[in-house]
């Protein structure tokens, strides 16, 4: 393993136009030094262990935020399916990649189905959702674990894992905290799966086994089960410490094991988890984490986008304005990749002769509709309603209902400020051309004060027909 740089570009994963840079870093620092999806087999006297890399990066890779979703085409899916078949005789198969399966666009039967024979899929991308979800782990319907890892860039997270008699265990750790502790037997109940692991071996095991590492020598490894002191584990070889036990003493229900490791420098760390020697007992993962990792967010974004457009249309009809939102044109035209121009639409991006299927574009569209387009439409309709009641901008402020009126204007001003900032972000990310040729951002930002002024300065005679209908409706 090479010495990774303290600030690794690999952390940024889906940063600005960085796919090529990440590939260079991968070739420089990784053990395999290869691009794309591939398979590595680790051979041991007791069997083979396959590791399959999933490369779902877009080619070409657009700048953020439109690189949020990874994508696999038919050819890549066939390659991964072949790698999965070649690994069928391995003791275990571990898949790994940057994107979570929920943020990978893939043709039927889908990436989760192809990796169904794997013990676990190790990934990053979402990391800890900015600290909101410190643990993002779940299990696929087929039994494969999906284990998100916190980022190295800001939180210095890394992972170690081990197979102990073909039972999979892992620990997510913070760099610089010593000693490092991983309990390999008994393994955690939450991460047990009879489909992929010989769980019956747990009942017939003779020793509790712990991996313990530190910069200094390990001084003690203390083991407790259900709070009762079981003894001191002894050093076997390398980082392995063992303690005899009788698993048949724990055949009923679940139990908690805790291991405290202290090194010669006086540093101490502990690890604990729930285990069971019964194969018919299961624990469930955090429902929110499962939703985040198992939901197809691209499909969800598309559905929400369409629903919000329909809501906008319904709002227009409610205010009796026969205007439909036109979504045919591009959102902007600019430098999607450094030196390469392209067009961004709701359904995807055209750049350098390639079409990148929409994913994050729908999310951006949802944010635009929810935080500006629909509020602006509602604000204009509300302003027209005030005009129909016979008010102009000054007179409606003199009605004395400041607590109801002023917040409406302040909220719209706040949202307009957000729209102006989005134009600044567009300029900084995609260049001056994107700022100038952007109907969704710049043109709408410039048009908004014109529309607001027109509404409040519209002549009363031009509102006559609607005012008559409104009075008739109110009188009935």
């Amino acid at each position: 393993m090479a010495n990774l740089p303290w600030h690794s570009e690999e952390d940024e994963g889906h940063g600005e136009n960085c796919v090529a840079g990440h590939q260079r870093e991968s070739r420089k620092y990784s053990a395999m030094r290869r691009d794309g999806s591939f398979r590595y087999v680790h051979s041991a006297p007791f069997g083979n262990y396959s590791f399959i890399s999933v490369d779902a990066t877009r080619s070409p890779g657009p700048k953020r935020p439109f690189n949020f979703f990874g994508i696999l085409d038919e050819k890549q899916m066939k390659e991964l399916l072949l790698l999965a078949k070649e690994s069928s005789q391995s003791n275990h198969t571990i898949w790994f990649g940057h994107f979570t399966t929920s943020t990978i666009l893939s043709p039927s039967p889908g990436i989760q189905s192809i990796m169904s024979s794997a013990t676990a899929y190790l990934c990053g991308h979402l990391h800890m959702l900015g600290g909101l979800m410190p643990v993002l782990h779940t299990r696929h319907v087929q039994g494969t674990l999906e284990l998100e890892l916190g980022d190295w860039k800001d939180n210095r997270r890394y992972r170690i894992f081990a197979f102990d008699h073909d039972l999979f265990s892992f620990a997510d750790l913070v760099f610089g905290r010593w000693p490092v502790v991983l309990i390999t037997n008994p393994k955690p109940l939450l991460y047990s799966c009879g489909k992929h692991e010989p769980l019956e071996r747990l009942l017939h095991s003779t020793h509790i086994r712990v991996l313990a590492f530190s910069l200094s020598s390990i001084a003690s490894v203390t083991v407790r089960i259900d709070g009762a002191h079981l003894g001191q584990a002894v050093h076997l070889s390398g980082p392995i410490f063992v303690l005899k036990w009788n698993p048949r003493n724990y055949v009923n229900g679940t139990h908690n094991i805790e291991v405290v490791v202290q090194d010669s420098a006086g540093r101490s760390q502990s690890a604990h988890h729930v285990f069971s020697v019964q194969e018919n007992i299961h624990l469930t993962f955090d429902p929110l984490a499962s939703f985040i990792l198992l939901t197809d967010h691209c499909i969800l974004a598309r559905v929400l986008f369409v629903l919000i457009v329909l809501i906008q249309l319904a709002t227009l009809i409610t205010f009796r304005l026969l205007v439909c939102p036109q979504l045919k044109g591009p959102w902007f035209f600019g430098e999607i990749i450094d030196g390469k121009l392209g067009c961004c639409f709701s359904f995807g991006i055209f750049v350098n002769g390639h079409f990148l299927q929409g994913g994050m574009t729908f999310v951006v569209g949802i944010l635009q509709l929810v935080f500006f387009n629909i509020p602006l439409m509602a604000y204009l309709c509300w302003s027209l309603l005030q005009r129909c009641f016979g008010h102009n901008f000054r007179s409606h402020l003199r009605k004395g209902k400041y607590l109801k009126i002023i917040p409406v204007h302040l909220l719209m001003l706040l949202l307009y400020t957000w729209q102006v900032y989005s134009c600044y972000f567009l300029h900084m990310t995609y260049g001056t051309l994107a700022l100038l040729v952007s109907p969704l951002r710049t043109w709408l930002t410039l048009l908004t004060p014109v529309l607001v002024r027109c509404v409040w300065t519209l002549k009363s005679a031009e509102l006559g027909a609607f005012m008559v209908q409104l009075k008739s409706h109110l009188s009935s």
Side-chain angles (χ1 to χ4, degrees):
M1 179 178 177
N3 292 322
L4 291 175
W6 186 252
H7 173 74
S8 171
E9 291 184 38
E10 194 68 27
D11 285 314
E12 301 177 11
H14 47 275
E16 294 184 10
N17 198 28
C18 59
V19 173
H22 288 174
Q23 290 174 341
R24 290 193 296 271
E25 293 294 307
S26 178
R27 284 194 293 268
K28 180 177 180 181
Y29 292 107
S30 71
M32 297 300 296
R33 302 192 179 190
R34 294 176 59 182
D35 293 334
S37 299
F38 61 87
R39 173 174 172 254
Y40 165 73
V41 180
H42 176 75
S43 298
F46 42 83
N48 296 325
Y49 297 83
S50 294
F51 297 85
I52 297 177
S53 164
V54 181
D55 183 3
T57 53
R58 290 173 178 260
S59 180
K63 300 178 183 179
R64 64 178 51 153
F66 300 112
N67 52 10
F68 182 79
F69 287 92
I71 189 168
L72 295 170
D73 57 25
E74 292 280 359
K75 180 182 178 181
Q76 291 171 305
M77 290 288 280
K78 289 178 180 179
E79 291 175 352
L80 289 172
L81 182 59
L82 179 61
L83 294 177
K85 290 180 178 178
E86 292 174 350
S87 305
S88 60
Q89 300 304 314
S90 298
N91 294 42
H92 282 277
T93 301
I94 298 292
W95 290 53
F96 63 96
H98 173 75
F99 293 94
T100 63
T101 57
S102 62
T103 55
I104 295 178
L105 284 72
S106 59
S108 180
I111 183 62
Q112 290 188 10
S113 177
I114 286 183
M115 65 171 62
S116 60
S117 61
T119 302
Y121 173 60
L122 315 179
C123 56
H125 192 50
L126 299 181
H127 301 300
M128 299 186 295
L129 286 180
L132 297 176
M133 295 293 295
V135 178
L136 269 176
H137 300 159
T138 192
R139 188 188 307 280
H140 297 172
V141 175
Q142 300 89 343
T144 303
L145 293 168
E146 181 159 345
L147 307 174
E148 180 87 5
L149 177 64
D151 64 288
W152 172 259
K153 178 184 175 183
D154 296 319
N155 295 290
R156 291 293 183 257
R157 298 299 178 98
Y158 69 101
R159 171 178 290 151
I160 63 172
F161 65 88
F163 289 103
D164 185 339
H165 292 72
D166 278 344
L167 298 177
F168 174 75
S169 298
F170 73 98
D172 291 346
L173 306 160
V174 179
F175 181 76
R177 292 184 184 177
W178 302 99
V180 168
V181 187
L182 173 59
I183 305 170
T184 64
N185 188 65
K187 71 162 294 176
L189 175 60
L190 181 62
Y191 301 98
S192 299
C193 180
K195 181 179 179 180
H196 298 297
E197 301 172 290
L199 297 179
E200 67 279 358
R201 294 182 181 180
L202 182 57
L203 183 60
H204 302 290
S205 63
T206 58
H207 291 78
I208 292 171
R209 286 178 289 274
V210 179
L211 298 181
F213 310 82
S214 185
L215 298 177
S216 306
S217 60
I218 300 298
S220 65
V221 178
T222 306
V223 180
R224 297 184 181 90
I225 293 182
D226 296 334
H229 179 76
L230 204 64
Q232 295 286 332
V234 297
H235 181 246
L236 182 63
S237 65
I240 305 175
F241 291 79
V242 298
L243 175 66
K244 283 189 175 182
W245 79 322
N246 184 0
R248 298 189 181 278
N249 294 335
Y250 307 97
V251 292
N252 295 322
T254 60
H255 305 273
N256 192 296
I257 182 171
E258 181 184 15
V259 174
V260 179
V261 176
Q262 187 170 5
D263 64 16
S264 59
R267 292 171 295 202
S268 178
Q269 291 289 341
S270 65
H272 63 89
H273 61 243
V274 175
F275 74 92
S276 175
V277 297
Q278 294 178 271
E279 297 182 44
N280 59 348
I281 298 179
H282 306 281
L283 296 178
T284 58
F285 286 89
D286 182 347
L288 181 56
S290 295
F291 172 79
I292 293 170
L293 294 177
L294 298 180
T295 303
D296 189 329
H297 293 296
C298 183
I299 297 297
L300 179 63
R302 293 179 184 182
V303 172
L304 288 177
F305 180 77
V306 172
L307 288 177
I308 292 174
V309 170
L310 292 176
I311 290 173
Q312 184 180 24
L313 179 59
T315 305
L316 284 170
I317 294 174
T318 301
F319 281 94
R320 303 179 67 83
L321 294 175
L322 301 178
V323 178
C324 298
Q326 298 296 319
L327 301 172
K328 298 179 181 179
W331 287 353
F332 69 88
F333 176 80
E335 199 172 66
I336 304 295
I337 303 172
D338 290 343
K340 304 293 182 181
L341 298 177
C343 284
C344 177
F345 295 80
S346 62
F347 52 83
I349 298 173
F350 292 93
V351 56
N352 196 31
H354 297 269
F355 172 68
L356 306 179
Q357 186 177 350
M360 193 60 190
T361 52
F362 291 103
V363 177
V364 172
I366 290 170
L367 295 176
Q368 177 69 27
L369 288 168
V370 171
F371 290 104
F372 193 72
N373 289 36
I374 292 178
L376 174 62
M377 180 185 63
Y379 175 76
L380 293 175
C381 292
W382 174 82
S383 300
L384 280 171
L385 189 63
Q386 300 303 311
R387 293 300 316 280
C388 290
F389 284 132
H391 298 291
N392 56 33
F393 188 79
R394 291 184 179 180
S395 66
H396 95 286
L397 291 175
R398 297 171 183 169
K399 292 192 301 181
K401 299 180 180 180
Y402 296 106
L403 294 179
K404 293 183 178 180
I405 295 174
I406 298 300
V408 174
H409 294 293
L410 291 179
L411 177 60
M412 195 60 234
L413 180 61
L414 179 63
L415 295 176
Y416 184 72
T417 303
W418 178 84
Q419 178 74 1
V420 171
Y421 173 77
S422 71
C423 294
Y424 169 78
F425 178 82
L426 183 70
H427 171 64
M428 296 301 296
T429 307
Y430 299 99
T432 303
L433 181 61
L435 178 68
L436 297 176
V437 190
S438 176
L440 184 73
R441 300 292 197 194
T442 309
W443 297 4
L444 181 57
T445 302
L446 296 175
L447 185 61
T448 296
V450 177
L451 290 174
V452 173
R453 185 179 185 279
C454 286
V455 167
W456 287 107
T457 57
L458 196 65
K459 295 180 180 180
S460 300
E462 298 178 27
L463 294 170
F466 185 76
M467 290 176 66
V468 171
Q469 294 181 16
L470 178 64
K471 291 179 179 179
S472 174
H473 173 73
L474 292 176
S475 62
S476 60

